[in-house]
Amino acid sequence: MRILILAAGYATRLYPLTLHQPKPLLPVGGRPILEHILDRVSSLEESADCVVVTNHRFAEAFAAWAKRYRAIRPDLHLRIVDDGSTSEADRLGALGDLAFVIESERISEDLLVIAGDNLFDAPLSDFVAYGRRIGKPIVGVYDVGDLEAIRRYNNIRLDEEGRVVFFEEKPKDPEGTLTAIALYYFPPETLADLRQYLEEGESRDQPGRFIEWLCRRHPVFSWRLPGKWFDIGDFQMLETANRAFAES
C-alpha cells in the first residue's frame, strides 16, 4: 500500500497566515497539522511509503520540516514531491495532484489518500482493514451534527450496507448531517477510474467531485470516523481545532 497526503494548496482563506507558511505545517496543539495526520498513519501495522505532495512555493518549507521529522520518525518512509505549481493561477487542484503523483511515482497498488488539512484523532488501522476486506473504494464519513454546517461540505446518504447512494457537494437543502471527508482508500482499479474522470474534463479540484462521479458508476462504501474531526479551512476552525487538541 502507498500513502498520499495532499498538501499543495495555497490556503488563501487563511491569508496572511499562509502567505509564507503552508497550511499543513501550521501548529495545532503545539505541533504541525501534518504531524497529527502522520500520527494516525503510524497506527498502521505495516510500513508503507508516504508521499506528501506540495507546490513549488512551499517545497523548501516541507523539505526542511521533513528533515527534522525523519530524525524523530526514522521508521517512516517519507518523500516530498513538488508538483511544480507556483500560485493559484497554475495549481493542479487536489485531483490533478492525485493524478500527478500516481503517474510520477508509478503507483499501481492500493492507495490511502488524506487531505493535509483534514485533522482527526482516530487511528487508521480499522479503515484500511475494511478497505482490504471488501476490495472497494472507501470514503471516511463524519456526522457534523448541524444542518447549517453541512452546507459548507457535502451531504451523503448511505444504504443499509454503508454504500454511498447519494452525494451532493455544498447542498442548499441538506437532508442530513453526514458528510464525506477527504480520507480515501482506493484499490488499484479506482486509479484507472480517476484517469477516466479527468479525461472526461471533470473538475480537477475538490476530491468529493470524483467520489460523486464514482459512486454513480461503481460501489463506493463508507467508514464512519470516530472521535474528533476538523476541516481546517478558515481561522475559526483553526482556533477550534487548536483548543481541542491542546486539551487532549
Side-chain angles (χ1 to χ4, degrees):
M1 185 183 68
R2 305 285 289 276
I3 300 167
L4 172 60
I5 298 177
L6 300 170
Y10 290 88
T12 55
R13 285 188 293 167
L14 284 169
Y15 277 8
L17 194 58
T18 50
L19 268 171
H20 306 291
Q21 170 88 323
K23 180 165 57 170
L25 295 185
L26 293 177
V28 166
R31 300 175 63 210
I33 293 169
L34 185 53
E35 292 187 16
H36 290 287
I37 295 172
L38 291 173
D39 284 350
R40 310 285 77 80
V41 170
S42 70
S43 71
L44 299 173
E45 294 181 357
E46 65 182 90
S47 61
D49 289 338
C50 183
V51 171
V52 177
V53 61
T54 182
N55 55 61
H56 189 65
R57 183 198 294 179
F58 292 135
E60 288 188 7
F62 276 102
W65 162 81
K67 184 177 181 180
R68 295 190 298 270
Y69 191 70
R70 287 190 190 101
I72 303 170
R73 289 285 310 280
D75 58 309
L76 183 65
H77 304 288
L78 178 67
R79 296 188 62 244
I80 307 299
V81 172
D82 181 352
D83 75 0
S85 74
T86 57
S87 70
E88 281 283 302
D90 67 346
R91 67 190 181 95
L92 303 187
L95 292 169
D97 276 308
L98 175 54
F100 171 78
V101 172
I102 290 170
E103 181 176 356
S104 64
E105 298 294 304
R106 299 181 180 180
I107 295 174
S108 59
E109 57 267 71
D110 293 357
L111 181 62
L112 175 63
V113 181
I114 311 171
D117 57 0
N118 235 7
L119 190 55
F120 52 92
D121 61 359
L124 290 171
S125 51
D126 289 345
F127 177 72
V128 171
Y130 178 52
R132 284 186 163 156
R133 186 169 72 249
I134 69 171
K136 303 293 183 183
I138 310 294
V139 58
V141 300
Y142 191 83
D143 192 337
V144 299
D146 187 317
L147 284 173
E148 190 58 38
I150 198 76
R151 298 174 195 273
R152 300 196 300 269
Y153 307 120
N154 58 69
N155 190 203
I156 64 171
R157 187 192 318 130
L158 309 175
D159 68 11
E160 59 186 15
E161 296 182 336
R163 177 176 173 175
V164 180
V165 294
F166 173 79
F167 191 112
E168 182 183 12
E169 281 282 1
K170 305 291 191 297
K172 292 183 179 178
D173 298 302
E175 60 179 53
T177 58
L178 194 63
T179 192
I181 70 172
L183 170 64
Y184 311 106
Y185 177 91
F186 292 147
E189 55 268 25
T190 305
L191 309 186
D193 292 323
L194 176 64
R195 287 193 296 271
Q196 179 184 343
Y197 167 89
L198 293 173
E199 287 169 0
E200 291 180 5
E202 300 287 349
S203 171
R204 302 180 71 85
D205 208 7
Q206 292 182 313
R209 297 291 184 189
F210 174 53
I211 301 301
E212 184 177 14
W213 178 93
L214 188 65
C215 70
R216 295 197 300 265
R217 292 162 174 80
H218 304 288
V220 176
F221 286 85
S222 63
W223 183 78
R224 289 185 181 249
L225 189 77
K228 300 188 289 287
W229 170 74
F230 302 95
D231 176 20
I232 311 297
D234 55 32
F235 285 99
Q236 180 180 353
M237 191 59 71
L238 178 63
E239 180 56 32
T240 300
N242 195 48
R243 289 197 303 269
F245 276 79
E247 294 167 0
S248 61

